[in-house]
């Protein structure tokens, strides 16, 4: 993979956000030159780290997923396939940078929550539902029925989950479908579907079944975090939030200066080693027992792991040291203004709307998705139409999130009708588009949403007098919900035009 192409993709993803922040910081929301400097350095590190990380994923990790999926399916051993699918889902989720970022955000708001306890619970949910998705692929079980049953269980669990964990639970479903998890799980699913297609006379059905695995996997962490909230939530969580907000008042977040990046490096390096080591061990076990690649490809795989490690360290250092603090501070400044005047409140919603439009258009994965849909539809569904639909939907989602921060209305007012519409559409939309739609739920909620947008929302909530644990978390969930509706509606358009 050309590193310049990867660099171009990440620059186009990060730079629009940086441009808007800089514009706001020199006009209506001054951040101070020290924090701006940290933000710029953090942005450069995010770009470089994400570029190297994605290159490592392409070089060394995706091939493992494809070969492992094909080899497992060829063995025709269903219990082995399901066990390995669980292990793969669990391990790659632990290594997922977006999950690490989300866990840090939750830990910052509710210190009583165990960061690694939350990560392991999310990983277990992903592993369980990856196994379930594999079972569906093998048995050709209807995707819409499985989605309906799974989301019914999720909403029942969410209804009895403490309010502080409801938004986090649905956010985790979007955060897990990040740059590590999506390529590996999709590669595993493609490998299984490819072998199944060769032995199944109904190849078209097999092609439809090759989509949807990521969408199913993203349901698992929602259920898992709901269970975590029900079983392990502490009554002190709200007190922790209040104490954190009080202690944060008047504190200058840029006091540490650029030295914060050096201070963060040892801790982040240790976390990345802890996250990637299980994946490396799993790859080694697969090499000796399952895929048995030649030495040239093993060297390529090792090089990919090294690149992924370096990239992930640089990315998380930039995100934690400069990108997220600036986003949170910007949210605090604008949130305080919005609390003082209805005009500023409208402006905050408008800024959220603008961030949403820019974020989704800038995501490299969105461009891949729109190209895929244009190809599948034979050019009937144009890329421009897809981009407009996704941009409008995500912009509306983040605008609603800002409105929710200011008014405190329940997350359920949006999620319940949104998911109900998505599941109803799944019974009328072509199967292929339903699979793509639920796979793409995490595409829109990419790295920029998990890092900058969530931090911005947390800052706005705390400054405007809200409860960040309840009012801010949920923004990733709203962004992840949009493609479920947009792409299925386009699928219905494609279906009508085909007739």
């Amino acid at each position: 993979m050309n590193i310049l192409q990867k660099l171009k993709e990440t620059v186009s993803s990060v730079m629009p956000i940086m441009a808007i922040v800089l514009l706001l910081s020199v006009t209506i929301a001054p951040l101070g030159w020290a924090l701006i400097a940290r933000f710029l350095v953090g942005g450069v590190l995010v770009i470089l780290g994400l570029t190297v990380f994605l290159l490592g994923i392409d070089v060394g990790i995706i091939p493992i997923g494809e070969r492992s999926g094909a080899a497992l399916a060829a063995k025709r051993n269903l219990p082995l396939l399901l066990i390995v699918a669980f292990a793969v889902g669990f391990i790659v989720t632990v290594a997922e940078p977006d999950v690490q970022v989300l866990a840090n955000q939750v830990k910052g708001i509710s210190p009583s929550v165990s960061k690694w306890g939350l990560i392991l619970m999310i990983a277990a949910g992903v592993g369980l539902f990856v196994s379930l998705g594999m079972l569906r692929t093998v048995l050709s079980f209807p995707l819409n029925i499985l989605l309906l049953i799974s989301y019914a269980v999720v909403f029942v669990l969410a209804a009895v989950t403490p309010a502080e964990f409801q938004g986090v639970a649905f956010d985790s479903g979007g955060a897990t479908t990040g740059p590590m998890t999506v390529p590996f799980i999709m590669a595993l699913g493609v490998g299984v579907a490819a072998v199944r297609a060769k032995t199944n006379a109904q190849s078209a059905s097999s092609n439809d079944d090759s989509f949807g695995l990521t969408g199913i996997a993203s349901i698992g962490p929602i259920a898992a975090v709901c269970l975590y909230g029900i079983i392990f939530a502490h009554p002190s969580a709200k007190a922790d939030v209040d104490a954190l907000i009080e202690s944060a008042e008047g504190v200058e977040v840029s006091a540490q200066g650029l030295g914060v990046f050096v201070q963060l490096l040892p801790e982040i390096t240790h976390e990345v080693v802890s996250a990637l080591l299980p994946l490396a061990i799993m790859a080694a076990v697969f090499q000796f027992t399952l895929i048995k690649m030649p030495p040239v490809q093993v060297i390529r795989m090792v090089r990919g792991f090294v690149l992924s490690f370096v990239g992930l360290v640089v990315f998380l250092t930039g995100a934690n040291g400069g990108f997220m603090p600036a986003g949170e501070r910007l949210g605090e400044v604008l949130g305080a203004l919005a609390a003082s005047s209805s005009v500023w409140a409208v402006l905050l919603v408008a800024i959220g709307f603008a961030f949403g439009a820019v974020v989704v258009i800038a995501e490299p994965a969105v461009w891949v998705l729109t190209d895929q849909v244009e190809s599948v539809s034979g050019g009937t569904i144009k890329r421009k139409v897809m981009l407009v639909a996704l941009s409008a939907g995500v912009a509306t989602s983040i605008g609603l999130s800002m409105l929710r921060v200011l008014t405190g209305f329940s997350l359920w007012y949006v999620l319940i009708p949104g998911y109900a519409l998505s599941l109803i559409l799944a019974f009328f939309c072509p199967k292929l588009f339903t699979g793509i739609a639920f796979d793409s739920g995490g595409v829109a909620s990419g790295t920029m949403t998990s890092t900058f947008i969530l931090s911005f929302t947390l800052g706005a909530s705390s400054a405007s007098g809200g409860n960040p644990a309840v009012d801010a978390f949920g923004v990733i969930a709203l962004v992840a919900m949009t493609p479920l509706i947009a792409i299925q509606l386009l699928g219905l358009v494609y279906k009508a035009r085909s007739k």
Side-chain angles (χ1 to χ4, degrees):
M1 178 60 69
N2 190 341
I3 190 171
L4 293 179
Q5 178 62 31
K6 285 294 179 188
L7 180 61
K8 180 181 177 181
E9 290 178 356
T10 53
V11 168
S12 65
S13 175
V14 178
M15 285 302 294
I17 292 290
M18 295 182 68
I20 294 178
V21 172
L22 290 176
L23 177 63
L24 292 173
S25 66
V26 298
T27 53
I28 61 175
L31 300 180
W33 291 112
L35 186 54
I36 291 176
R38 277 180 60 181
F39 174 70
L40 292 175
V41 173
V44 171
L45 292 178
V46 165
I47 290 173
L48 295 177
L50 194 56
T51 299
V52 175
F53 175 76
L54 291 176
L55 185 64
I57 293 292
D58 284 349
V59 169
I61 294 180
I62 289 181
I64 301 173
E66 292 177 347
R67 290 173 179 268
S68 301
L72 286 168
K75 286 184 176 294
R76 299 180 179 278
N77 187 331
L78 184 58
L80 177 64
L81 175 63
L82 298 182
I83 292 171
V84 173
F86 175 86
V88 167
F90 184 93
I91 291 172
V92 297
T93 302
V94 170
E96 174 60 60
D98 288 355
V99 174
Q100 298 276 341
V101 170
L102 177 66
N104 281 329
Q105 300 276 32
V106 176
K107 180 68 175 177
I109 291 297
S110 298
S112 60
V113 174
S114 167
K115 174 187 171 180
W116 278 103
L118 185 63
I119 290 175
L120 294 177
M121 199 71 175
I122 291 173
V126 173
L128 179 62
F129 273 73
V130 169
S131 295
L132 187 61
M134 285 295 183
L135 182 62
R136 183 200 77 86
T137 299
V138 172
L139 301 179
S140 293
F141 189 81
L143 177 61
N144 51 7
I145 300 296
L146 179 58
L147 291 172
L148 182 62
I149 295 172
S150 299
Y151 274 108
V153 172
V154 161
F155 276 97
V156 169
L157 287 173
V160 295
T161 299
E164 289 81 3
F165 284 87
Q166 291 173 347
V168 174
F170 281 90
D171 277 355
S172 68
T176 51
T177 48
M180 170 71 84
T181 310
V182 170
F184 199 96
I185 290 179
M186 288 192 71
L188 187 68
V190 167
V192 173
V195 172
R196 180 176 171 271
K198 293 179 181 178
T199 59
N200 193 333
Q202 296 177 341
S203 58
S205 174
S206 298
N207 184 52
D208 290 348
D209 289 338
S210 64
F211 294 97
L213 181 59
T214 305
I216 295 170
S218 66
I219 303 173
I222 304 176
V225 176
C226 286
L227 288 174
Y228 181 91
I230 294 170
I231 298 172
F232 298 107
H234 298 288
S236 60
K238 179 60 170 64
D240 289 334
V241 173
D242 294 338
L244 186 67
I245 293 173
E246 291 175 5
S247 65
E249 292 178 353
V251 176
E252 177 57 49
V253 296
S254 60
Q256 291 177 291
L258 297 180
V260 68
F261 297 105
V262 177
Q263 295 171 12
L264 286 171
L265 195 57
E267 180 183 355
I268 289 176
T269 301
H270 179 266
E271 289 183 354
V272 173
V273 169
S274 302
L276 287 182
L277 185 59
L279 185 60
I281 294 173
M282 181 187 71
V285 172
F286 281 0
Q287 166 62 19
F288 287 110
T289 61
L290 192 64
I291 52 181
K292 299 178 180 179
M293 296 184 294
V296 173
Q297 292 179 335
V298 172
I299 294 173
R300 181 180 174 88
M301 180 186 72
V302 172
R303 188 166 67 245
F305 268 96
V306 172
L307 290 173
S308 298
F309 170 78
V310 173
L312 192 51
V313 169
V314 175
F315 166 79
L316 289 175
T317 302
N320 287 284
F323 222 64
M324 292 192 295
E328 185 171 0
R329 180 58 183 163
L330 180 65
E332 289 174 354
V333 173
L334 294 174
L337 292 172
S340 65
S341 167
S342 58
V343 175
W344 286 108
V346 172
L347 182 60
L348 177 63
V349 174
I351 290 173
F353 193 93
F355 272 137
V358 170
V359 163
V360 71
I361 291 178
E363 276 298 341
V366 168
W367 288 86
V368 175
L369 172 70
T370 54
D371 180 66
Q372 182 183 30
V373 173
E374 187 173 31
S375 175
V376 168
S377 65
T380 305
I381 306 297
K382 299 295 183 183
R383 165 178 278 185
K384 291 182 179 179
V385 176
M386 283 279 297
L387 288 174
V388 169
L390 289 173
S391 179
V394 174
T396 302
S397 296
I398 298 181
L400 282 173
S401 296
M402 295 302 105
L403 186 62
R404 179 168 163 257
V405 162
L406 296 174
T407 62
F409 68 81
S410 174
L411 181 64
W412 302 122
Y413 293 168
V414 182
L415 283 186
I416 290 178
Y419 275 104
L421 178 59
S422 302
L423 294 171
I424 291 172
L425 289 173
F427 286 89
F428 300 97
C429 178
K431 293 181 180 179
L432 183 62
F433 278 88
T434 297
I436 293 173
F438 279 86
D439 274 354
S440 66
V443 169
S445 57
T447 303
M448 291 301 97
T449 305
S450 300
T451 55
F452 183 83
I453 297 298
L454 180 55
S455 298
F456 176 76
T457 308
L458 287 167
S461 176
S462 62
S464 61
N467 180 357
V470 177
D471 299 333
F473 286 107
V475 60
I476 300 176
L478 294 181
V479 171
M481 184 185 69
T482 304
L484 311 185
I485 300 172
I487 293 179
Q488 288 192 101
L489 288 176
L490 291 177
L492 292 177
V493 173
Y494 171 72
K495 180 180 179 180
R497 289 188 175 182
S498 298
K499 290 183 179 179

